[in-house]
Amino acid sequence: MNHQRIPKHWTIQRSTPFFTQDNVPRALLSHHNTAEGIFGQLCVMEGIVIYYGFASEHATEPEIKLLIPAGTFATSPPLYWHRIEMSDDAHFNINFWSESEKKNQNMFNTKS
């Protein structure tokens, strides 16, 4: 998987607050995916976030490892399994994009 472009006619449905080591949801640090029809855009303001992408829900070895430094972002396509690690000084948020109105729907799924 390479960095994938969010379709230009899609819009942001929800944005998270900024996360640090103190308030990051544990689900982001474990195997999860973005929901069907949802792109995640992880935006790093400070520090570094490491994104690990997996070929399937049950894969234990990542197929990609992406370092996302401050001032940059990365996208996660719909239904792609991943997790993150973060530096001690990391400060980031996530924008969830879709083609249609999905503000009241789940934006990601955790491993079953």
Side-chain angles (χ1 to χ4, degrees), residues 89-103:
D89 61 342
H91 191 88
F92 71 95
N93 83 319
I94 302 169
N95 298 312
F96 294 101
W97 295 73
S98 76
E99 182 174 25
S100 59
E101 180 72 34
K102 294 184 185 272
K103 289 186 175 157

Side-chain angles (χ1 to χ4, degrees), residues 15-29:
S15 293
T16 68
F18 283 96
F19 297 127
T20 65
Q21 285 284 354
D22 295 330
N23 69 347
V24 64
R26 296 296 157 218
L28 296 180
L29 304 174

